[in-house]
Amino acid sequence: MPIRESDDVVRVRQAVRVQAVAAGLGLVDQTKIVTAASELARNTLDYGLGGTVRIETFTGNPRRGVRLTFEDNGPGIPDLERALTDGYTTGGGLGLGLSGARRLCNEFEIESVVGQGTRITIARWK
Amino acid sequence: MEDGFAALSKIVSERESEIVAHWRQLLVTASGGTGRIKDAEVEKQCRDFLSAFAAGLGAGATVATDPAFDSARELLGGVSQSRANQGFTPTETATFVFSLKEPLFEQVRASYPDDTARVASLGWDMTQILDQLGLYTMEVYQRSREDVVRRQQDEIAELSTPVVKLWEGILALPLIGTLDSARTQVVMENLLQAIVDQSADLAIIDITGVPTVDTLVAQHLLKTIAAARLMGADCIVSGIRPQIAQTMVHLGVELDVVSKATLADALALAFQRTGRTVVRKAVAKG
Ligand SMILES: Nc1ncnc2c1ncn2[C@@H]1O[C@H](COP(=O)(O)OP(=O)(O)O)[C@@H](O)[C@H]1O
Ligand SMILES: [Mg+2]
């Protein structure tokens, strides 16, 4: 689904919540993946200049959960390690979105090419 | 043999009056005579659409997405949108296009009384294109309904940000729903104004109704708390549900204020802080 405006962030949260429930995640895991999704969707919008998210559920053995892939064609992140440092922000935020999302998920992968864009995949399972 | 779509175009323009008369009648019957849309308006919509439809077919369009159908689609979009806004059902809205099939088919038959094969093939072409336009109508309808919902959400957001006086000097701000930046600005200003107006010492911010606390929400809360402090009021945050508390810890956000599980607990603390006690007296039964 698209992430083009602020309301899309709300829609992403709602869609992720629905999928997390469908995948059978408990309340705590739902809240964690929804919150992580909110952070990454907001970054996609604010820093990635808009993009998309793909939401997938997996219900097979041995795990049940949700996987999200955020993609944008924005400016990219020049220094990933720095961006993942608690408190680092270039946009006047708290600088806890990326690092916090990583702590909230079981899986966290980030690829970014300066001048081309950013792709982040996260998953939460039980 | 003349191409099917060109033939359809000719039939539509040459027999427009017959088609419109029949079509209008079907639309009136379908709406159950509720008269929600004025007859004159329906007639105009029918005529406008038919001429745009004939023009599109004449220009060689064979699928609904063809640029030659731009003005036909635009007209349908307008019809759909106004019906969505007026609360028409999806069926009522889609009926506009679908009920054109019968009158159009009738005129196709009348044009080729002795050629059943031709009638069948034109009928098929017509059905294909009207189905596509019908689906387009539904897409616009759906989008328009979403817009209506979005507008209502905006209105609700405006409404649901009251500052409540709980006691002399004690305010409560029950937050409900999504805290986007625009709304948070309103909330914060309301709270600060109330603190000044009522010389409040304590403000309880209750987030029971906030579904997600991410770093943006946390930042808004932190700013509000800091601003309240500058105005001389301390904040207590209540209603942080356990799963939210846990998530906040992982995010690494700390609100740096006293927090209580419920608004009631927060009020009890506020009483205590302002030197008040609540005493229960025996109540006469009867
Ligand atoms: N999709 C993205 N494209 C480009 N830069 C990004 C993207 N996501 C994050 N960043 C960079 O990483 C920094 C840290 O992000 P985050 O931890 O979410 O903190 P914040 O959003 O508060 O700035 C951002 O300030 C920004 O510079
Ligand atoms: Mg962020």
Side-chain angles (χ1 to χ4, degrees):
Chain A
M1 53 193 290
I3 304 172
R4 302 240 152 268
E5 49 172 41
S6 193
D7 283 350
D8 289 334
V9 177
V10 179
R11 272 174 229 131
V12 168
R13 284 203 294 264
Q14 284 164 350
V16 171
R17 169 85 62 188
V18 169
Q19 293 305 315
V21 171
L25 292 186
L27 196 50
V28 172
D29 288 330
Q30 282 169 33
T31 308
K32 285 181 176 174
I33 187 84
V34 169
T35 307
S38 186
E39 294 299 339
L40 300 182
R42 173 83 46 201
N43 283 353
T44 299
L45 181 68
D46 289 348
Y47 302 115
L49 311 174
T52 58
V53 60
R54 194 170 72 237
I55 308 175
E56 295 157 289
T57 52
F58 43 96
T59 50
N61 270 332
R63 292 171 177 144
R64 304 163 63 80
V66 184
R67 177 170 287 111
L68 310 174
T69 308
F70 292 84
E71 271 178 295
D72 66 60
N73 300 315
I77 304 174
D79 185 344
L80 283 180
E81 202 178 321
R82 197 142 146 236
L84 278 159
T85 306
D86 275 358
Y88 176 77
T89 176
T90 58
L94 291 181
L96 294 168
L98 279 182
S99 50
R102 176 154 72 170
R103 284 188 291 267
L104 286 170
C105 293
N106 300 112
E107 184 185 301
F108 182 96
E109 267 172 53
I110 180 164
E111 291 162 70
S112 190
V113 179
V114 172
Q116 287 185 26
T118 303
R119 173 161 64 223
I120 302 180
T121 305
I122 59 171
R124 178 86 214 168
W125 57 72
K126 68 171 190 183
Chain B
M1 192 164 73
E2 191 183 11
D3 156 67
F5 293 96
L8 279 175
S9 166
K10 226 167 97 195
I11 295 173
V12 173
S13 28
E14 281 170 7
R15 297 167 175 257
E16 191 196 297
S17 319
E18 291 95 324
I19 297 173
V20 168
H22 189 174
W23 189 14
R24 251 176 68 194
Q25 203 192 339
L26 290 176
L27 287 172
V28 170
T29 317
S31 76
T34 50
R36 259 195 293 182
I37 290 188
K38 288 187 197 63
D39 204 27
E41 195 183 326
V42 174
E43 168 157 10
K44 183 168 166 17
Q45 288 173 345
C46 291
R47 283 196 188 287
D48 290 351
F49 175 73
L50 276 184
S51 58
F53 184 54
L57 288 170
T62 55
V63 289
T65 47
D66 195 299
F69 274 137
D70 278 354
S71 73
R73 277 200 317 273
E74 201 175 305
L75 280 164
L76 281 182
V79 171
S80 250
Q81 204 175 348
S82 73
R83 294 186 178 205
N85 289 338
Q86 291 175 65
F88 278 66
T89 67
T91 307
E92 286 169 326
T93 305
T95 298
F96 181 75
V97 174
F98 291 135
S99 62
L100 172 58
K101 286 186 183 182
E102 188 183 321
L104 191 49
F105 192 61
E106 193 179 86
Q107 296 308 323
V108 169
R109 230 173 10 212
S111 307
Y112 299 94
D114 306 316
D115 190 348
T116 43
R118 183 75 170 148
V119 169
S121 102
L122 287 180
W124 173 249
D125 289 344
M126 170 201 88
T127 295
Q128 291 276 78
I129 201 86
L130 287 181
D131 283 349
Q132 289 169 15
L133 288 168
L135 287 178
Y136 173 76
T137 312
M138 288 329 302
E139 263 171 47
V140 175
Y141 175 88
Q142 181 64 26
R143 275 204 299 275
S144 309
R145 291 302 297 166
E146 279 166 14
D147 285 344
V148 170
V149 170
R150 220 170 293 166
R151 255 197 327 273
Q152 286 170 342
Q153 279 170 341
D154 289 348
E155 282 161 17
I156 291 168
E158 290 262 312
L159 287 175
S160 55
T161 50
V163 179
V164 187
K165 178 178 174 184
L166 291 182
W167 210 264
E168 212 50 60
I170 305 175
L171 299 175
L173 179 67
L175 294 176
I176 294 166
T178 302
L179 283 185
D180 53 50
S181 303
R183 192 174 154 227
T184 313
Q185 194 63 32
V186 177
V187 171
M188 193 152 102
E189 280 163 17
N190 284 353
L191 179 65
L192 297 181
Q193 191 60 50
I195 288 173
V196 173
D197 290 349
Q198 310 188 21
S199 331
D201 313 307
L202 276 170
I204 301 171
I205 303 175
D206 184 78
I207 61 168
T208 310
V210 179
T212 307
V213 178
D214 59 9
T215 62
L216 187 67
V217 170
Q219 191 175 30
H220 288 322
L221 288 174
L222 286 167
K223 280 187 190 157
T224 308
I225 291 163
R229 235 171 236 156
L230 283 176
M231 315 299 303
D234 268 336
C235 290
I236 302 172
V237 175
S238 66
I240 304 181
R241 284 157 291 155
Q243 68 273 22
I244 299 230
Q246 212 178 320
T247 302
M248 285 170 70
V249 170
H250 286 281
L251 274 181
V253 299
E254 281 171 55
L255 290 183
D256 190 26
V257 283
V258 178
S259 69
K260 287 283 159 192
T262 65
L263 184 56
D265 294 338
L267 181 60
L269 176 65
F271 279 152
Q272 193 192 325
R273 288 248 198 108
T274 53
R276 296 180 172 100
T277 48
V278 180
V279 183
R280 178 178 225 154
K281 282 210 209 164
V283 180
K285 293 211 177 100

